[in-house]
Amino acid sequence: MYFDAHSDIWCDVTARRLKGETDVLRRRHLERLRKGGVEGSIFVIWVDPPYDVDYVKRTKEIMQCAKAEAEECDEIRIVHNYAEMMQAKADGKIYVFHGIEGLAAIGEDISKIDEYYDFGCRHAILTWNEANALGAGANSGESYGLTETGKKAARKVQDKGMILDMSHLNEAGFWDCMKLATKPIIASHSNCRALCDVPRNLTDDQLRAIRDVDGVVGLNSFKDFIDPRGPEQTVENLARHADHMINVMGIDHVGCGFDFFEFINDEAMGTMTEDSSPAAHGMKDASEIPNLFSCFEKMGMTKEEMDKIARVNFQNLVKRTIG
């Protein structure tokens, strides 16, 4: 069973509910999640293009739709801490943490982080690919780090007992966060730059820095972060990223953050890739997660090592950060 530390499913739920659909999780997503063995996940609030023309409006829409959907679907359970997560698992529910992929909607008012927390969010990324009032994303083209407001926001996220996530921040912002870290930090959905040289992936120094604060990095199935060559964008080569992470950080710091988004609209997809099939060959969506672990088995990993990557490392991080 697997803990996926990054899912954009609330985007699809929002788009469909605003068109009049209901019970979206059960009708559109649960079969894949169950088939793939997903026992829990972080479902993020992400303002996808073209809705980023009004971050505040779209954020409110996502929150309203996520709340309505969660109330409607009794096969998932929104959780807020380690104990709730493990109880949901014992009860046979898919446990879901609310997260935030980009805090652009708060502007410079970090008190609004309290509103996210009160909604149930226990995870936050300061930016998506854009530059905002807090800092600059990895694909923003900007080289500056966190603003003073961004540093205050990062501290507040950790002080409130939320998981601070480095995925999407540029390098300068990453290192600013590391300087002020008081708890373990994650990169929920990032691969290794040593194997695929794109800004969204992490250097070996960044991997070691996350290890040194007892954090975890989640493997990302998005094929452009696996290899620049189309034929090599495979589940087997995603497994190579795991192997590299283990060699650099150790087995206790590698997890899953697959970033499946085959359901995203064409306009949003076009901001990330020219291809309509975004995931690795052999791992097109959540239903094919076991293919990656078959690769690990062929590589000689033990069951204990695979369990750590599958769920244990991120579950332990929840205990260390959220409590």
Side-chain angles (χ1 to χ4, degrees):
M1 301 294 284
Y2 311 104
F3 179 99
D4 182 357
H6 188 83
S7 173
D8 295 308
I9 280 178
W10 285 146
C11 289
D12 191 52
V13 166
T14 300
R16 293 183 182 280
R17 289 191 75 94
L18 292 178
K19 292 177 181 177
E21 288 191 39
T22 57
D23 209 19
V24 178
L25 285 173
R26 199 185 320 272
R27 294 191 304 104
R28 303 279 184 176
H29 296 281
L30 285 182
E31 181 179 357
R32 286 197 305 277
L33 295 175
R34 294 287 192 194
K35 182 178 179 181
V38 175
E39 69 172 39
S41 188
I42 298 175
F43 284 9
V44 293
I45 298 167
W46 170 49
V47 179
D48 51 323
Y51 306 106
D52 52 355
V53 295
D54 191 334
Y55 284 102
V56 174
K57 177 184 176 182
R58 191 61 170 182
T59 296
K60 289 179 179 178
E61 289 176 340
I62 295 169
M63 293 170 78
Q64 290 166 357
C65 290
K67 183 176 185 294
E69 187 73 20
E71 291 172 350
E72 197 170 73
C73 182
D74 62 3
E75 293 188 51
I76 73 161
R77 184 179 297 168
I78 304 300
V79 296
H80 308 88
N81 55 47
Y82 180 84
E84 290 182 7
M85 171 177 67
M86 300 312 287
Q87 186 60 57
K89 178 181 178 179
D91 293 341
K93 307 294 184 182
I94 294 176
Y95 54 84
V96 173
F97 288 95
H98 286 307
I100 315 157
E101 187 172 21
L103 282 167
I106 74 171
E108 295 187 350
D109 185 0
I110 67 169
S111 71
K112 292 185 182 296
I113 294 172
D114 295 329
E115 297 176 17
Y116 282 114
Y117 186 88
D118 292 343
F119 176 72
C121 293
R122 296 296 183 268
H123 158 278
I125 307 175
L126 299 182
T127 74
W128 185 55
N129 287 333
E130 84 290 344
N132 60 35
L134 309 180
N139 291 328
S140 67
E142 303 291 351
S143 59
Y144 60 84
L146 299 186
T147 64
E148 289 305 310
T149 303
K151 293 174 183 177
K152 292 176 183 177
R155 291 189 186 98
K156 187 175 181 71
V157 165
Q158 291 210 306
D159 288 346
K160 290 193 73 69
M162 300 167 71
I163 298 170
L164 184 61
D165 188 344
M166 298 294 97
S167 286
H168 282 290
L169 269 179
N170 68 1
E171 283 196 58
F174 174 97
W175 292 113
D176 283 341
C177 281
M178 298 310 300
K179 290 174 185 175
L180 55 82
T182 57
K183 293 181 180 179
I185 280 176
I186 72 169
S188 61
H189 57 303
S190 296
N191 292 335
C192 307
R193 204 176 299 182
L195 301 185
C196 184
D197 188 10
V198 296
R200 274 281 285 105
N201 284 344
L202 301 174
T203 67
D204 287 359
D205 283 344
Q206 289 175 303
L207 294 174
R208 283 187 281 266
I210 291 174
R211 173 203 64 194
D212 291 345
V213 295
D214 210 12
V216 179
V217 177
L219 295 160
N220 191 327
S221 71
F222 181 44
K223 64 186 185 182
D224 288 356
F225 300 162
I226 296 172
D227 197 283
R229 302 161 295 178
E232 302 302 317
Q233 295 170 334
T234 65
V235 66
E236 291 83 4
N237 280 333
L238 179 57
R240 290 181 60 236
H241 282 267
D243 185 58
H244 185 81
M245 287 181 190
I246 293 166
N247 289 334
V248 174
M249 297 190 295
I251 189 67
D252 294 327
H253 304 283
V254 185
C256 303
F258 294 122
D259 199 15
F260 295 117
F261 54 93
E262 70 278 359
F263 42 79
I264 297 297
N265 67 60
D266 290 342
E267 186 166 358
M269 189 80 78
T271 68
M272 294 173 280
T273 179
E274 297 177 357
D275 196 321
S276 61
S277 301
H281 303 301
M283 199 169 163
K284 69 178 185 300
D285 58 38
S287 70
E288 295 191 342
I289 292 172
N291 291 348
L292 177 62
F293 285 78
S294 294
C295 294
F296 292 161
E297 191 170 10
K298 292 175 183 175
M299 291 163 60
M301 285 193 197
T302 66
K303 182 180 185 300
E304 181 183 6
E305 290 170 333
M306 289 190 285
D307 285 347
K308 285 185 175 186
I309 297 173
R311 63 188 177 279
V312 172
N313 288 340
F314 266 121
Q315 288 175 342
N316 287 342
L317 182 132
V318 166
K319 185 188 294 185
R320 295 194 300 271
T321 54
I322 299 173

